[in-house]
Amino acid sequence: QVQLVESGGGLVQTGGSLRLSCAASGRTFSSVAMGWFRQAPGKEREFVAAINWNGGHTAVVDSVRGRFTISRDNAKNMVYLQMNSLEPEDTAVYYCAGRNSASDGKVYLSTYEYSYWGQGTQVTVSS
């Protein structure tokens, strides 16, 4: 089992930046692939970014490419989402997710592929 706790959300103006953090505890963190998802009111939860077990492979959704960066620090059991040039369309609850993973380059893009979820952190971008 892995417990995930997100932090770093808040209210920011268009064009601003935020860094979300996700603290993991439980299972050995280096055997867990991680992802970030978001859910806006009335919409489905959607993929934002993913990272493999050692940070060597990442993926982001097209709508945030060039603006958002996912990273991890296995020594600290942390995963991060750096969000720059934020837009009102980025407003959502952001969730950290994890799943057991082999030591390979695979990243996971779908909600159903993840077993562990945090409680979410609200990001609001004002226009």
Side-chain angles (χ1 to χ4, degrees):
Q1 285 290 331
V2 175
Q3 292 76 46
L4 302 173
V5 179
E6 303 97 334
S7 61
L11 174 64
V12 64
Q13 292 185 333
T14 297
S17 298
L18 285 174
R19 187 175 84 153
L20 304 184
S21 299
C22 176
S25 61
R27 184 183 177 89
T28 302
F29 186 60
S30 60
S31 65
V32 179
M34 300 295 295
W36 285 97
F37 292 77
R38 66 186 180 186
Q39 188 166 17
K43 295 188 176 181
E44 297 282 322
R45 189 170 298 188
E46 67 171 359
F47 167 75
V48 177
I51 191 165
N52 77 319
W53 72 281
N54 67 350
H57 295 266
T58 63
V60 296
V61 68
D62 287 346
S63 61
V64 308
R65 184 164 289 121
R67 301 189 297 121
F68 291 12
T69 303
I70 187 171
S71 62
R72 66 189 294 161
D73 184 339
N74 285 354
K76 296 181 179 180
N77 287 6
M78 297 290 293
V79 65
Y80 306 99
L81 185 67
Q82 178 66 45
M83 306 187 296
N84 299 326
S85 302
L86 283 160
E87 304 168 351
E89 293 72 24
D90 297 316
T91 295
V93 177
Y94 283 71
Y95 296 91
C96 174
R99 61 158 288 152
N100 299 341
S101 172
S103 300
D104 57 22
K106 192 168 182 180
V107 294
Y108 301 87
L109 311 187
S110 301
T111 56
Y112 67 84
E113 295 181 292
Y114 287 88
S115 304
Y116 314 119
W117 291 88
Q119 82 289 350
T121 186
Q122 176 70 47
V123 171
T124 303
V125 184
S126 64
S127 58

